Amino acid sequence: MSKIGLSSSIFFVLSSMIIFPSYVNLVQGQLNSSDDPIRNVTALSNSTGNATEVELQNSTVSYFDDAKGYLVFPVRQEINASKLPAVIMIHEWWGLNNHIKDMANLLAKEGYVVLATDLYNGKVATDPNEAGNLVQSVRANQENAITNLKAAVKYVSSLPIVDKSKIASIGWCFGEDNHCNWH
């Protein structure tokens, strides 16, 4: 790994630790009125108080070759509002499914521009074997995945509402020996 690549990786990890602690606690620790963990992300996003009042704008965007990502951000009413931080969201081994879009919505309600990327060119797995095959296709062509993610950063950097100095990434398990089989 080059010095630039290592520096970028360290930057993303540290940025995630600084920017997302309240988000991580929100996702891991939310309970409903009966103290049972909320398993549905949509229900979780509706249980956060003020965040439910945030209007979101979302769309499917072409940001790299055949890849279409899910872009979501809070609608802002202020004319002179400051620019927002952005997050490049990397899907888990299932692909860019509704669960990942719900997670992007939840994060956007907290004040972020989120681009959920697609490393599978529109394919979404429905069983572990299919997910494993899709993961292997990405691992076999890592340069393409890296180029895809760099294009995502370039895309969100071009948006007029994004603070280009505040772009981070977040992701989930990408399938190693069925460790992601919990979904």
Side-chain angles (χ1 to χ4, degrees):
M1 179 179 282
S2 71
K3 284 185 179 181
I4 293 173
L6 180 59
S7 297
S8 297
S9 297
I10 291 170
F11 170 76
F12 284 130
V13 169
L14 292 176
S15 296
S16 297
M17 291 178 354
I18 294 167
I19 293 174
F20 300 118
S22 62
Y23 173 72
V24 170
N25 290 336
L26 174 69
V27 172
Q28 291 177 347
Q30 279 293 323
L31 301 176
N32 64 19
S33 60
S34 65
D35 289 335
D36 292 329
I38 295 174
R39 301 200 191 294
N40 182 305
V41 176
T42 303
L44 174 64
S45 65
N46 290 334
S47 68
T48 60
N50 280 346
T52 60
E53 298 172 15
V54 175
E55 182 182 349
L56 297 177
Q57 181 172 336
N58 61 41
S59 60
T60 300
V61 297
S62 295
Y63 69 94
F64 173 71
D65 290 343
D66 293 333
K68 292 189 180 349
Y70 177 74
L71 179 70
V72 60
F73 53 90
V75 175
R76 297 160 8 130
Q77 307 302 324
E78 312 88 32
I79 294 172
N80 293 323
S82 61
K83 294 183 177 195
L84 297 172
V87 177
I88 305 303
M89 185 173 279
I90 305 166
H91 58 75
E92 57 197 355
W93 80 326
W94 300 106
L96 181 53
N97 59 16
N98 287 334
H99 172 70
I100 297 302
K101 291 176 183 178
D102 285 343
M103 295 302 292
N105 290 341
L106 181 61
L107 190 54
K109 285 183 179 184
E110 297 299 325
Y112 297 93
V113 174
V114 182
L115 175 58
T117 60
D118 178 13
L119 297 176
Y120 295 164
N121 294 323
K123 296 177 185 162
V124 176
T126 56
D127 68 68
N129 290 330
E130 184 181 11
N133 289 336
L134 290 170
V135 166
Q136 289 306 318
S137 70
V138 172
R139 288 186 180 156
N141 192 355
Q142 292 180 23
E143 275 302 313
N144 188 59
I146 291 167
T147 304
N148 179 315
L149 295 172
K150 286 180 178 179
V153 171
K154 183 177 179 181
Y155 180 86
V156 296
S157 295
S158 72
L159 299 174
I161 63 169
V162 170
D163 180 342
K164 296 174 190 170
S165 70
K166 295 181 180 177
I167 299 174
S169 66
I170 187 171
W172 287 266
C173 180
F174 210 64
E176 183 74 27
D177 299 321
N178 290 326
H179 290 287
C180 296
N181 215 356
W182 56 269
H183 191 286

